[in-house]
Amino acid sequence: MEERGKLILIVDDDPSFVEATSRVLEGCGYRTTAALSPGECYERLESELPDLIILDVMMARLNSGFDVCRKLKKDVKTKHIPILMLTAIDKTYPFDFGSEAGDEDWLPVDDYVDKPVEAPVLLSHIQRLLGKGPAHPRSKTE
Amino acid sequence: MVYLNGLLTHFLVWHVEGVMGDYNEESLARMILESMEDGVAVLDRNLKIVRCNRSYLRLTDVASEQVVGEYCYRVSHGTEVPCPESTCPVIQAFRARKPSKVMHTHYDTKGEVHHMDVVAFPIRNKDGTVSQVVEVVRDETELYELNKHLNWVVGFVAHELKGTLGTAVMNISALVDERLSKVIPEDKQGEMLLAALSSLKLMHDMIRNYLVSSKAKAGQLQFNQTTVNIKRDVLEPAMTALQPVLSKRRMNLAIRTSGSSIVFCDKELMKIVFNNLINNGAKYGRERTQIVCCLKGEKESFQFSVLNQGIGIPQDKLEAIFDEFTRCDPLGIGGTGIGLFLVKKIVEMHGGSVTAQSGYLIDGNPVTYASFLANRAKYGIADGEETGLPKFARFTLTIPQMGRRKQRAKREKGEDQDGRERKTDPHS
């Protein structure tokens, strides 16, 4: 796989989930690093930029993952990094996945997947993001 | 609508049965209205207040002479124009000539928010027209806050359980996938199965925590004290369960014991206490630090403490931290907020107490904030420099122990430590 050796940052407040996901990804040849909170996430990004970020939507505060992804997409250093969000988002809610929106419905992730997620499903999303760029951007009108 | 109609019906029954005695109709009606907790006002078609009861004055926080003859929107909202029809049950009642209900948000003179249930009833004339409306206002702020709190609790519990399920699903789905099971080393596969089992057990513990908390609040938590080797049967299993978290964060856990580890307590409830305290120690501790657990068993009491090095606890939160759904979480680490509440409840059921301390670690020794401030000069740390010092948090529980003879006597009588009738273990 051409993605082997690529670095994935897992941002989730559940250490057990982070460990389980890391184990699966490392078994498939990825390198992983983890952050248990938004604060730790920003610290990790200071030391090495990952090739992809897996981001939990709801950490300590409701929807704190939204704040993280908006911040990362506004920062020139990190805006190019694809973000895969782990979420319980209702797919009928009209979130704006556009890259430049900036309003309160703006959710600038490159893809999202429901939790709990099975390992093969997670891997296929990761491979799609690393191989071909953003998977399924959504617009408000869809 | 039901409460006002019921009141008027009662009034009519009194009138018909001639129970009015010395009261005439008007004074009886006024007496009834003035005794109501709900605010009641009569409004004319210009939305001016014709008359009102004392509760209405109290709820609107305005003096009587400023209410009667005044526009209701000026009194209730401090505005110069009427509310939109969509939000005003009085206007709706005039238009539709039937009762209407809306929930309003009001701000009192101190700026505090109140959630008011407002119902408007049209008073029909003989020709069917409506020239006045009765507005009934009830302060439902407490109920609103309870509902909001309940919704938050449900949402957070669902999040916590979903997260734990996520770990089990990730591990098991990887093991059963034909392609993945071939690339994951065999030694790791065993770890993944154990991790899946561990997370399902954790899910069970979490569900039990929520149920126990619910029972504790309702005063229905049952209590079964026996003689327990607290180190072997409670502390060590808690440490084992925490091992994945400790290794991930490169933390280690040290146990220091003195005296006996044999304690008279409810083993299952004490597992909840120890799990919560040690988990917090890991969760809020810094990476690559040590958590120190001390067990001290003496004849009259048993003491257990957990100390970690991490974010510490602000001095003004040292008592509030045991309140339900209170978290001291400046870094957004997360948690349900009921763990310490449960710890306190369970320890108090044992006749004991639990305290929190926090402060600085100076040369590896814990110094509380109060002690540090009183002795700053002794530590040679200039004003403001303490922000660079590592912080600690320590939770200490003390449970009184009775002699074996008394324990046996209580068991024979079917009583717990406090003399209550002992019930069977409900924890399954």
Side-chain angles (χ1 to χ4, degrees):
Chain A
M1 286 182 279
E2 61 185 75
E3 299 93 22
R4 288 183 79 88
K6 291 202 173 171
L7 179 64
I8 298 177
L9 169 62
I10 306 166
V11 187
D12 193 307
D13 62 347
D14 182 349
S16 302
F17 178 77
V18 167
E19 186 172 351
T21 309
S22 299
R23 201 182 277 118
V24 167
L25 297 181
E26 284 165 9
C28 295
Y30 295 105
R31 292 185 299 130
T32 66
T33 182
L36 299 182
S37 67
E40 278 190 28
C41 169
Y42 303 133
E43 280 179 18
R44 295 283 179 269
L45 293 170
E46 291 293 320
S47 53
E48 187 180 359
L49 290 180
D51 298 287
L52 180 135
I53 299 172
I54 297 174
L55 177 62
D56 184 26
V57 70
M58 193 163 100
M59 289 177 272
R61 283 186 306 107
L62 184 68
N63 299 344
S64 54
F66 289 170
D67 296 335
V68 171
C69 73
R70 284 171 185 151
K71 186 170 174 176
L72 295 182
K73 287 300 184 183
K74 282 181 184 168
D75 188 334
V76 291
K77 283 194 309 187
T78 53
K79 63 191 283 191
H80 66 281
I81 303 173
I83 297 177
L84 172 63
M85 181 156 267
L86 298 176
T87 178
I89 288 176
D90 180 351
K91 290 184 175 63
T92 61
Y93 191 91
F95 277 110
D96 188 344
F97 292 93
S99 60
E100 301 295 334
D103 61 20
E104 65 177 27
D105 288 335
W106 183 44
L107 185 59
V109 296
D110 299 276
D111 196 3
Y112 58 86
V113 67
D114 277 344
K115 240 181 164 180
V117 59
E118 294 187 19
V121 172
L122 179 68
L123 281 164
S124 73
H125 280 263
I126 289 171
Q127 282 158 11
R128 195 160 52 231
L129 282 175
L130 288 176
K132 295 181 184 172
H136 300 291
R138 298 277 187 273
S139 69
K140 235 177 188 164
T141 54
E142 280 191 23
Chain B
M1 296 178 202
V2 171
Y3 45 77
L4 183 62
N5 286 341
L7 208 57
L8 291 175
T9 302
H10 190 67
F11 161 68
L12 288 170
V13 168
W14 277 20
H15 179 67
V16 169
E17 291 183 357
V19 185
M20 290 169 53
D22 293 333
Y23 297 105
N24 60 29
E25 284 184 29
E26 185 175 334
S27 60
L28 183 62
R30 180 148 291 281
M31 186 187 75
I32 292 169
L33 287 172
E34 291 302 338
S35 65
M36 287 171 67
E37 281 289 312
D38 297 339
V40 181
V42 179
L43 284 69
D44 66 18
R45 289 202 71 89
N46 295 318
L47 304 182
K48 283 191 176 178
I49 297 168
V50 175
R51 59 182 66 189
C52 66
N53 68 353
R54 266 197 291 271
S55 292
Y56 190 87
L57 296 176
R58 177 179 49 78
L59 288 169
T60 53
D61 200 19
V62 180
S64 164
E65 56 272 17
Q66 292 174 298
V67 171
V68 176
E70 190 50 87
Y71 292 109
C72 61
Y73 45 86
R74 200 177 273 166
V75 169
S76 300
H77 305 291
T79 57
E80 293 301 317
V81 294
C83 304
E85 183 175 338
S86 59
T87 63
C88 179
V90 173
I91 297 176
Q92 290 171 20
F94 272 120
R95 289 266 160 86
R97 292 185 288 174
K98 58 182 183 179
S100 179
K101 180 179 172 181
V102 160
M103 177 71 84
H104 263 208
T105 301
H106 284 186
Y107 293 88
D108 63 22
T109 51
K110 295 173 201 157
E112 287 177 9
V113 68
H114 294 266
H115 299 282
M116 316 294 272
D117 196 27
V118 183
V119 187
F121 301 92
I123 300 177
R124 289 173 193 275
N125 300 321
K126 283 181 182 163
D127 61 1
T129 56
V130 175
S131 56
Q132 290 182 331
V133 158
V134 176
E135 180 186 52
V136 182
V137 181
R138 177 178 281 185
D139 191 341
E140 297 280 31
T141 305
E142 195 179 331
L143 183 62
Y144 177 89
E145 293 298 329
L146 279 173
N147 264 341
K148 194 170 145 192
H149 181 66
L150 176 64
N151 287 338
W152 180 87
V153 168
V154 169
F156 223 99
V157 168
H159 169 255
E160 292 289 303
L161 293 177
K162 211 173 179 188
T164 315
L165 196 57
T167 304
V169 167
M170 176 61 62
N171 280 314
I172 295 170
S173 64
L175 290 171
V176 301
D177 184 78
E178 205 178 316
R179 183 175 70 95
L180 284 174
S181 59
K182 287 179 183 152
V183 300
I184 296 172
E186 268 191 38
D187 58 332
K188 295 291 181 193
Q189 293 191 22
E191 286 176 18
M192 288 167 74
L193 263 180
L194 284 172
L197 179 63
S198 172
S199 73
L200 290 173
K201 282 182 177 175
L202 179 63
M203 198 165 165
H204 172 248
D205 285 346
M206 285 169 64
I207 291 169
R208 191 177 62 179
N209 257 9
Y210 290 121
L211 284 173
V212 169
S213 170
S214 168
K215 283 187 178 178
K217 282 191 295 181
Q220 293 169 357
L221 196 59
Q222 296 177 344
F223 195 50
N224 183 26
Q225 282 181 294
T226 55
T227 304
V228 175
N229 184 323
I230 203 89
K231 182 172 176 234
R232 184 193 68 201
D233 296 336
V234 177
L235 177 56
E236 285 170 3
M239 283 173 58
T240 306
L242 194 63
Q243 220 32 65
V245 174
L246 292 175
S247 354
K248 191 79 191 170
R249 308 198 77 220
R250 296 188 180 86
M251 298 172 82
N252 68 76
L253 199 148
I255 301 180
R256 295 175 192 163
T257 56
S258 68
S260 171
S261 294
I262 305 301
V263 178
F264 188 62
C265 64
D266 183 312
K267 184 167 84 172
E268 295 307 313
L269 291 180
M270 289 309 289
K271 280 182 182 175
I272 294 172
V273 168
F274 275 54
N275 281 335
N276 274 300
L277 289 178
I278 297 173
N279 273 325
N280 275 357
K283 196 194 297 183
Y284 296 105
R286 268 183 32 201
E287 289 184 350
R288 296 174 215 275
T289 59
Q290 186 177 67
I291 301 167
V292 180
C293 296
C294 295
L295 274 173
K296 192 170 158 188
E298 292 172 345
K299 195 175 167 191
E300 297 297 325
S301 70
F302 162 77
Q303 199 176 74
F304 174 68
S305 68
V306 178
L307 182 147
N308 80 340
Q309 181 183 338
I311 63 174
I313 307 167
Q315 202 157 4
D316 59 348
K317 297 268 192 282
L318 289 173
E319 287 189 17
I321 205 163
F322 293 103
D323 292 341
E324 197 182 17
F325 302 116
T326 297
R327 284 184 300 175
C328 171
D329 200 359
L331 296 182
I333 292 169
T336 59
I338 67 166
L340 290 176
F341 166 78
L342 259 185
V343 164
K344 187 173 176 214
K345 277 278 177 202
I346 292 169
V347 169
E348 286 174 351
M349 285 179 75
H350 285 82
S353 63
V354 60
T355 55
Q357 287 178 309
S358 191
Y360 304 107
L361 282 171
I362 300 177
D363 298 326
N365 296 313
V367 177
T368 63
Y369 295 124
S371 180
F372 174 79
L373 287 172
N375 300 289
R376 181 195 285 276
K378 179 177 116 180
Y379 297 114
I381 292 169
D383 209 8
E385 276 184 7
E386 67 269 19
T387 51
L389 292 173
K391 289 183 182 171
F392 80 91
R394 178 166 56 200
F395 291 86
T396 306
L397 63 93
T398 307
I399 292 177
Q401 294 289 288
M402 61 185 78
R404 286 201 183 159
R405 194 178 301 170
K406 278 188 188 170
Q407 289 175 26
R408 195 165 47 239
K410 282 201 177 283
R411 270 204 302 276
E412 284 166 2
K413 279 168 90 175
E415 287 176 357
D416 65 16
Q417 182 158 281
D418 293 319
R420 292 172 298 208
E421 186 186 331
R422 190 153 46 88
K423 293 169 185 165
T424 52
D425 188 347
H427 299 304
S428 57

